[in-house]
Amino acid sequence: MSKLKIEAEVNGRKITRETEPHKRLLDFLRDDLNLTGTKEGCGAGECGTCSVFVDGKLVKSCLMPVAKASGARIETIEGLATPGELTPMQRAFHKTGASQCGYCIPGMVMAATSALRENPAADIEEIKERLGGNICRCTGYTKIFEAVEMARSVIAGDLPETVLEEDKVGDSYIGANVRRLDAPAKVSGRLKYAADMKLPDMLQMQVLRSPHAHARILSIDTSEAEAMDGVACVITSDDVPGTDGFGVFVHDQPIMARGKVRHVGEAVAAVAAEDLVTARRALSKIKVEYEELPGLFDPEDALKPGAPVIHDYAPGNVVKHIPVRKGDIDAGFAAADIVLEDDFSTQQVEHAYLEPEAGIAYVDPDDVVVVISPSQNITHHRHMLAEIIAKPINKVRFIMSPVGGGFGGKEDMIYQGMLALAAMKTHRPVQLNFTREESLIASAKRHPSRVHYKMGLKWNGRITAIEFNMLSDGGAYGMSSEGVMRKAAILSCGPYEVDNLKVDTTAVYTNNTPSGAFRTFGGMQAQFATESMMDMAAEALDMDPFEIRRLNMMKIGAKTHTQQTLETASLDRVLDAAETASRWETGAPNVRGAKRGDLNGPDTRKPCTLGARIKAETKSKNDAERVA
Amino acid sequence: MTRMKRGRGMAASWYGIARTATIDRAGAWAELDDGGTAKVVTGVTEIGEGILTVLAQIAADELGIKPQDVTIGDNDTARSPEAAHAGATRQTYMIGNSVALASREAQKALFEQIAEHWDVPFESLRAFDGEIWALDTNLRMSMSDAVATCKKRGVVPVGAASFTAHGTGLDPVDGSGSPWQAYVFGTQVAEVEVDTWTGEVQVLGIWAAHDVGRAINPRGVEGQIEGGVVQGLGQALMEDYQTDKGHAITHGFAKYILPTSLDIPQINCTIVEDPDPKSPLRAKGIGEPALVPTAPAIMNAIYDAIGVRIKSLPATPEKILKALRDHVPGREHIAQAAREARAQAARTNSANA
Ligand code: FES
Ligand code: FES
C-alpha cells in the first residue's frame, strides 16, 4: 500500500509521519500518534467524542480524511494544558462532577472550550446550542452546563479561581462533596479505555455476524481466510474446548453460533490478523452456508401453538414466567366501586453507552488466560469462561478496564470468549473493538413490554385489587430476562399496599435482538403502567395525584406484593419533598394545564423555539464543518 | 386553540437495593499504609457512577485519613477479593459497607498499638483527616507517624471484611419472599410544553425527590439523578430501537435518537435521607431508581397539557398528533359519579371504606 506523508503541527509540535491514505484524522491521532484522548464513539459524525481543533475550528475527526489535515494546526485534548496541569474548563468539569464514565468528556471539553473561544460571554442558551453535537449518556448534561458556566465566569474574572477548588470538609467525609478522584484522568483524556490500550505484538480481531434472524448453519469454510497472509487464526464454535454457553441466568448462548443462528448480528466466526484491514478482508473469505428457518418476531406469536422453537430446551419459547399472588383477587374486584382496565407498552431501548464494546485477551507466562474488558461482571464472567475453555478457575483472569458507560449493557459476555479463544490459539494478545453499528445489533436492549392492567378502587380512592400481566420480548437469548421478569413482578404494582393482587410477568424467546439488563431491570416498564393507572384513577375519582398515592402508599409495617413486611418506608417523605419543591398546585389530573398557577417558575428552563430534537438532528448532519 | 400547551404530572416509585431475591455479598481488604495513606482492595468498582470516590470517602472516614490518600486496587479477579458485579444499585450498599468494615478492622489493628504506645484506653482514640488523638489528653500525632509507630511495634495494620445482604428467594407459586433488605422510594414531577401543531414535547422542569438512605457524596447523588432522569426522558419521548424481521433499522445515532443538550429540563433534586437500619453505613443507593418515575411523570404531564394519554412509549410527535386527532373526552362521567358518591357518603356520615 502506498503511504501518505503527513506534515502537521500537533499540540504545538511539528510532526512528519508516513501513514495509510485510507485513514481518518481520528485513526491517525489514535493509532499513529497515540493520542487516545480522542475517542471513537460512533465513527459517523453523530456523537462528538472525536472532537478536535483543526486550524482553530472544532471538527469531528472521524469525518476528516487524514490527507485533509496535512499542513494543518491540530489541537487535541492532550494539548489543551501542559502535562500535569488542567485548564480552567477542565478544572470546572472536575469541580462540578461533570464527568461520569468519562468517555464523552474529552470531546465535551473540546466543544466547551470551543464555545468559550468563540464567545467568551456565551450564556447558557448559547452554551447548550454549542454543545448540541456532543452526546453524553451518563450525566444528563446538567453538571456539564454548570461546569461551562463556571469556567466562563472564572476566565472572565466574574468568579474567583478559588471556586474551582475543593469545598472545605467539615467533621466527616461522609456527606461531603469530595471531587471525583478519577476526574483529572478523564477530563485530560489520559485515562485508557480498552480500545486505547496497545500491547506489543497485538493482533486485531474482526467478527463475522449473521445476516439472518433464524437459520441453520449447514457449513462454515474458513480455509481461504486462514490461508491469507497476515491472518493468525480463524475461530468458530468448533474451537471451544469446554462446555460452551453463557448467560446471566441460563447459559443458553454459545460463544459463537453453534449449529444455528438466532438473531441478526450474532457472531458466527472471528478472525485475528496482524491488522484491522487484513482481518476485515479475511471475513469476506469465510464461506457460510445457511438454511433459513421461519422466524419469530412478536412475543405473542412466540406463545402460539406450533410456533417455531428457538431453543430446544424451551419448546414453548418461554424464558421465564414469574407469578406473584396475594389475597383474593375476585373478592377484591367484587368490593371495588370502579374498575379501570387498560393496556400499556414500552419499546426496546439501546443503552448507547458512548464506549462501544472493546477488549484484549492474552495468555500470560503462567498460562493464565487474561481478558481485559469493560465488563460489569468480572466475577461471573470468570466462572463462565473457565467452563467454556475448560481451565481451572485460577487460570482465568478478568480485568475490568475503565467502563465508558454500562447501564447493564456490559453484563453479558458477548465477545470476551472469542478473544480468549483467539489468544489461546495464537499465544499473542488479541484486541477487538466494536463499531457502533456492531454494538447496536449485537448487544442486549431494554426489554420491550406489554402490560394488561386491571385496577379496582373504592370511591374514596383505596385500591381493592390489581391484576397485572406483562409480556416481554426476551429476544434470541436468555441473558438477564429471568431476573428482569422477577424484578418487574416484585415491583409491579408500585409502592402501594394492595391487599389483593395477581401479577404475572413472562419473557419469551424470539429472533429479535436480545433483551437484557438495563438500568431498572424491568422496574421502569412495570411502574410506567402503574403510575399511569394511578393518575387515570385519580382523574376518575376526582382526587389529587399525590392524595391518591398517599392514601394507598406503603408505610412502615406494610406488606409488600411479595408479602414482606417493611421495616422502613420513606414514600411519605419523598412525596412531600417533591410536592413542596415543585410548588404543586393541588387538584385532580383532569387536563387542568391551562388553568394551573404553578407553571413557568424560575426552576424551569425556557422552551426552545424549534423542537429540540429537530434542531439537534439537522445540526449533527453538517457538524463536520461547523465552527463552534 | 393555543398552539403551545403546558402541563404537569407526577409519578412515584420504589426500588430494591442489591441483588434480587438472593443473598448478596461483597468482600474488601484494607491496609493503613506508610505516610498515613491506605490501600483498599475490592473486586469491582467504577462504571461511571463515582463509586471510586465514594469508596475513598468511606475508607478515609473510617480510617481517619483523607480520601485522596486512599488508593483503590480493584477490578481484577486474580488480585482482589470477590465483590461480584457493578449493577443492581448495589455498589454503595454492598461494596461500600464491606470497605467500611475492612477499614474498621485495619484501624482497630492500628488503634490497639497506639493505645498501648500512649498507654490510653483504646476507646479514647479518634482519627480524622490525617490526625490521631486521644480524647481528654494532649496526645496527638499524624496518621503517618501512627503507622510508623505501629510498624515499629511489629504490626502491619490490615483488615478484611465481607458484607452480606439477606434477600430470600420467591415462592414459585405465590411469589412470596423478602427479595431485599433495603428499599428506596422516589417521586418526580414533570412540567412539559406540547406543541399541538407538531406534536413535539419539551420537558421544561423535573423535580426529583429520592430517598438514598444517606448521601455519601451529595453531588454524586445529583449526578445519578440527573443522568437517570435524562435516560428516562429519552425513553419517554424519542428513543426507539426498531427492527424489521429481526433486522435493525435504527443502526446508528442518526436513526437512534438520543437526548442532547437542547432536550434537557432544569432538574431540581431533593435528596431525602431515611437511613438503612441494617448496615453500618446506613446508605442505600440511587443508580437505577432515579430513572423509574421519569417517563410516567412526563406522560401524566402530557395528559395534563393536552388531554391525551400516551400508553405506548415513546411519545413521539407522530403519536401525539394522532392521539390529538383521535381524542375522545375522558372520564368526566366517572369523576362525577365519584363526587356524588362521596357527597352522599358525607351526608349519611357512613364510612366509605
Ligand atoms: S466518533 Fe466522530 S462523531 Fe462520533
Ligand atoms: S460521562 Fe458522558 S458519556 Fe459517560
Side-chain angles (χ1 to χ4, degrees):
Chain A
M1 212 186 312
S2 68
K3 293 269 186 177
L4 183 72
K5 189 167 166 198
I6 302 293
E7 287 181 63
E9 185 194 309
V10 179
N11 295 333
R13 300 188 71 90
K14 292 252 176 293
I15 59 120
T16 307
R17 286 283 195 293
E18 303 250 293
T19 192
E20 290 75 34
H22 66 81
K23 281 192 173 163
R24 308 163 295 176
L25 175 58
L26 174 64
D27 307 315
F28 181 70
L29 293 172
R30 290 178 54 83
D31 301 345
D32 297 35
L33 303 181
N34 274 316
L35 294 170
T36 53
T38 307
K39 311 289 181 198
E40 176 161 5
C42 72
E46 287 146 7
C47 75
T49 57
C50 63
S51 303
V52 298
F53 290 111
V54 176
D55 289 331
K57 291 186 168 61
L58 187 72
V59 302
K60 290 180 169 160
S61 62
C62 71
L63 294 179
M64 182 177 267
V66 64
K68 269 189 86 175
S70 201
R73 189 167 44 84
I74 297 160
E75 203 179 348
T76 70
I77 185 77
E78 291 89 348
L80 288 186
T82 47
E85 304 282 313
L86 297 175
T87 65
M89 181 66 76
Q90 290 168 319
R91 293 180 66 199
F93 269 62
H94 185 193
K95 174 63 188 276
T96 65
S99 66
Q100 288 191 16
C101 84
Y103 208 78
C104 73
I105 292 300
M108 200 63 87
V109 168
M110 295 305 279
T113 303
S114 166
L116 295 192
R117 284 188 188 171
E118 295 294 326
N119 181 5
D123 66 3
I124 184 64
E125 299 307 323
E126 183 174 348
I127 289 167
K128 288 182 180 180
E129 181 81 36
R130 289 184 183 275
L131 297 180
N134 289 62
I135 296 171
C136 174
R137 188 54 157 169
C138 298
T139 62
Y141 302 89
T142 305
K143 301 264 182 274
I144 295 175
F145 300 154
E146 190 188 340
V148 183
E149 288 201 281
M150 184 184 284
R152 175 203 61 206
S153 301
V154 167
I155 294 166
D158 299 336
L159 278 177
E161 230 182 289
T162 49
V163 298
L164 301 172
E165 286 160 16
E166 184 140 276
D167 297 343
K168 291 271 169 292
V169 67
D171 56 4
S172 171
Y173 280 107
I174 305 294
N177 284 323
V178 172
R179 290 181 304 180
R180 288 182 61 123
L181 300 171
D182 56 356
K186 288 174 173 172
V187 301
S188 63
R190 290 198 306 256
L191 185 66
K192 297 275 186 197
Y193 298 82
D196 304 331
M197 297 176 189
K198 283 180 192 168
L199 296 184
D201 204 28
M202 188 163 76
L203 298 164
Q204 285 297 324
M205 174 175 276
Q206 287 290 286
V207 180
L208 184 69
R209 298 190 174 277
S210 169
H212 302 296
H214 199 197
R216 208 181 311 285
I217 298 173
L218 301 177
S219 66
I220 305 180
D221 180 357
T222 60
S223 53
E224 207 181 321
E226 248 153 334
M228 275 176 65
D229 187 15
V231 170
C233 78
V234 181
I235 52 167
T236 67
S237 63
D238 285 346
D239 294 289
V240 173
T243 314
D244 200 357
F246 67 92
V248 179
F249 291 87
V250 46
H251 293 184
D252 62 352
Q253 185 162 9
I255 288 302
M256 282 168 284
R258 180 173 290 276
K260 72 174 185 171
V261 290
R262 296 181 175 86
H263 74 95
V264 175
E266 181 170 359
V268 174
V271 175
E274 298 297 334
D275 56 70
L276 200 60
V277 176
T278 310
R280 282 209 180 118
R281 279 210 202 100
L283 287 189
S284 63
K285 301 284 198 269
I286 301 175
K287 298 187 193 74
V288 187
E289 264 188 293
Y290 295 99
E291 177 197 320
E292 279 198 67
L293 298 168
L296 271 179
F297 304 107
D298 187 296
E300 271 156 56
D301 292 343
L303 292 172
K304 288 185 181 147
V309 174
I310 316 278
H311 290 267
D312 293 341
Y313 95 92
N317 292 319
V318 173
V319 188
K320 193 71 189 179
H321 164 232
I322 304 282
V324 177
R325 305 284 182 267
K326 184 183 169 197
D328 179 341
I329 190 86
D330 294 329
F333 281 117
D337 292 327
I338 62 162
V339 175
L340 303 178
E341 196 164 356
D342 227 310
D343 291 284
F344 300 89
S345 68
T346 63
Q347 74 277 40
Q348 239 182 343
V349 177
E350 160 63 17
H351 300 82
Y353 26 73
L354 267 285
E355 178 209 308
E357 289 77 356
I360 294 173
Y362 60 90
V363 182
D364 84 0
D366 298 319
D367 259 332
V368 176
V369 177
V370 184
V371 181
I372 305 173
S373 71
S375 153
Q376 287 183 251
N377 198 344
I378 49 177
T379 307
H380 191 216
H381 288 186
R382 176 178 73 147
H383 277 274
M384 293 190 293
L385 188 62
E387 295 279 324
I388 291 166
I389 61 176
K391 288 234 178 211
I393 206 144
N394 68 336
K395 291 292 176 190
V396 177
R397 177 181 179 197
F398 268 85
I399 297 173
M400 179 178 166
S401 55
V403 180
F407 318 116
K410 288 171 180 167
E411 287 183 18
D412 307 302
M413 203 179 69
I414 57 173
Y415 59 100
Q416 288 88 348
M418 293 187 283
L419 281 169
L421 287 185
M424 288 163 69
K425 226 176 160 177
T426 59
H427 265 245
R428 287 174 65 181
V430 185
Q431 183 173 46
L432 169 61
N433 301 327
F434 279 32
T435 62
R436 176 56 58 186
E437 288 66 28
E438 219 174 353
S439 174
L440 274 157
I441 62 169
S443 72
K445 304 287 169 275
R446 184 189 293 288
H447 284 76
S449 71
R450 291 174 197 172
V451 174
H452 184 76
Y453 212 118
K454 201 172 147 191
M455 181 186 276
L457 303 104
K458 302 295 272 184
W459 289 129
N460 69 2
R462 183 79 191 125
I463 300 169
T464 61
I466 289 179
E467 194 178 329
F468 177 106
N469 198 323
M470 176 189 279
L471 178 63
S472 242
D473 185 349
Y477 289 102
M479 294 190 164
S480 291
S481 282
E482 176 178 335
V484 170
M485 290 305 102
R486 190 175 292 117
K487 198 173 252 184
I490 296 167
L491 298 173
S492 58
C493 305
Y496 311 107
E497 188 165 18
V498 180
D499 294 334
N500 308 294
L501 53 84
K502 176 174 182 289
V503 172
D504 292 276
T505 59
T506 308
V508 295
Y509 285 117
T510 66
N511 296 108
N512 290 325
T513 315
S515 304
F518 194 158
R519 197 173 191 175
T520 83
F521 221 62
M524 83 74 57
Q525 293 95 316
Q527 294 182 65
F528 161 61
T530 295
E531 291 303 303
S532 297
M533 286 297 281
M534 290 302 283
D535 256 42
M536 291 156 73
E539 182 185 19
L541 298 171
D542 198 34
M543 292 175 80
D544 179 79
F546 281 91
E547 185 193 352
I548 194 171
R549 286 168 174 86
R550 284 196 183 100
L551 192 73
N552 289 288
M553 72 185 169
M554 288 180 188
K555 305 184 186 103
I556 293 174
K559 273 211 179 323
T560 65
H561 314 322
T562 62
Q563 303 177 50
Q564 176 178 2
T565 304
L566 286 186
E567 290 165 50
T568 61
S570 56
L571 185 55
D572 54 343
R573 271 152 290 165
V574 293
L575 283 169
D576 288 353
E579 191 176 30
T580 307
S582 67
R583 306 162 281 102
W584 182 264
E585 191 178 280
T586 303
N590 53 8
V591 200
R592 62 193 173 99
K595 298 180 291 252
R596 299 186 77 110
D598 54 0
L599 299 172
N600 215 3
D603 40 6
T604 56
R605 74 161 160 94
K606 299 276 154 292
C608 306
T609 342
L610 283 172
R613 285 166 43 205
I614 293 171
K615 234 174 161 182
E617 257 186 308
T618 38
K619 212 142 52 61
S620 64
K621 292 282 182 306
N622 50 32
D623 233 343
E625 301 299 322
R626 188 165 69 94
V627 184
Chain B
M1 175 170 123
T2 41
R3 172 175 172 180
M4 299 296 182
K5 296 200 166 190
R6 294 240 183 141
R8 279 181 156 204
M10 58 81 66
S13 61
W14 69 322
Y15 209 76
I17 298 299
R19 287 187 166 177
T20 307
T22 186
I23 284 196
D24 200 355
R25 76 269 168 176
W29 301 328
E31 177 191 348
L32 263 167
D33 203 353
D34 294 340
T37 65
K39 294 199 281 267
V40 170
V41 187
T42 184
V44 67
T45 59
E46 189 73 40
I47 57 168
E49 74 280 63
I51 187 68
L52 268 180
T53 308
V54 163
L55 294 180
Q57 286 178 250
I58 292 168
D61 210 65
E62 294 287 347
L63 293 167
I65 61 175
K66 295 176 191 294
Q68 45 290 14
D69 290 334
V70 178
T71 300
I72 308 236
D74 53 356
N75 302 336
D76 184 337
T77 60
R79 304 289 184 272
S80 52
E82 177 185 313
H85 81 295
T89 310
R90 67 186 287 283
Q91 299 229 70
T92 299
Y93 195 69
M94 298 305 305
I95 305 174
N97 278 309
S98 92
V99 164
L101 293 172
S103 301
R104 278 180 202 182
E105 283 283 305
Q107 196 196 49
K108 181 163 167 272
L110 178 99
F111 275 19
E112 279 166 0
Q113 296 305 316
I114 301 303
E116 268 188 50
H117 173 71
W118 275 343
D119 194 18
V120 297
F122 178 95
E123 296 71 39
S124 73
L125 292 180
R126 296 288 181 278
F128 177 65
D129 209 30
E131 298 249 297
I132 179 170
W133 65 95
L135 292 178
D136 307 321
T137 70
N138 290 327
L139 296 167
R140 177 178 281 268
M141 67 174 143
S142 70
M143 284 296 281
S144 177
D145 289 345
V147 170
T149 304
C150 184
K151 286 191 174 177
K152 267 195 211 110
R153 298 172 57 91
V155 172
V156 179
V158 291
S162 170
F163 179 73
T164 316
H166 299 273
T168 66
L170 302 188
D171 180 272
V173 177
D174 70 1
S176 61
S178 300
W180 300 290
Q181 68 178 37
Y183 286 84
V184 291
F185 297 81
T187 298
Q188 292 181 10
V189 173
E191 182 168 327
V192 303
E193 180 174 276
V194 185
D195 183 334
T196 56
W197 292 7
T198 65
E200 289 278 341
V201 177
Q202 294 190 52
V203 184
L204 304 178
I206 292 278
W207 293 261
H210 288 271
D211 167 30
V212 301
R214 200 167 160 222
I216 310 283
N217 187 317
R219 193 163 262 282
V221 171
E222 285 171 17
Q224 287 301 293
I225 295 175
E226 289 153 3
V229 161
V230 171
Q231 285 188 355
L233 181 153
Q235 170 147 23
L237 298 179
M238 59 191 85
E239 294 183 42
D240 197 359
Y241 179 81
Q242 294 175 314
T243 51
D244 178 23
K245 298 247 174 301
H247 291 261
I249 51 180
T250 45
H251 40 61
F253 290 157
K255 295 268 171 61
Y256 187 87
I257 307 299
L258 291 159
T260 69
S261 57
L262 297 167
D263 299 309
I264 307 310
Q266 177 154 341
I267 301 170
N268 308 283
C269 302
T270 310
I271 298 173
V272 174
E273 295 185 304
D274 182 32
D276 176 49
K278 297 199 169 160
S279 56
L281 276 176
R282 291 174 285 135
K284 292 188 277 195
I286 187 62
E288 296 173 278
L291 189 153
V292 177
T294 310
I298 292 172
M299 294 310 122
N300 290 339
I302 292 173
Y303 183 81
D304 189 46
I306 57 172
V308 303
R309 179 162 292 283
I310 303 297
K311 299 170 193 161
S312 158
L313 297 182
T316 57
E318 300 72 42
K319 264 190 216 162
I320 299 262
L321 289 180
K322 180 168 185 317
L324 276 172
R325 275 197 304 273
D326 300 348
H327 176 49
V328 214
R331 300 164 188 279
E332 293 82 352
H333 56 291
I334 315 181
Q336 190 50 36
R339 273 190 290 272
E340 282 164 16
R342 268 201 299 272
Q344 177 66 30
R347 272 195 298 276
T348 57
N349 202 21
S350 67
N352 206 7

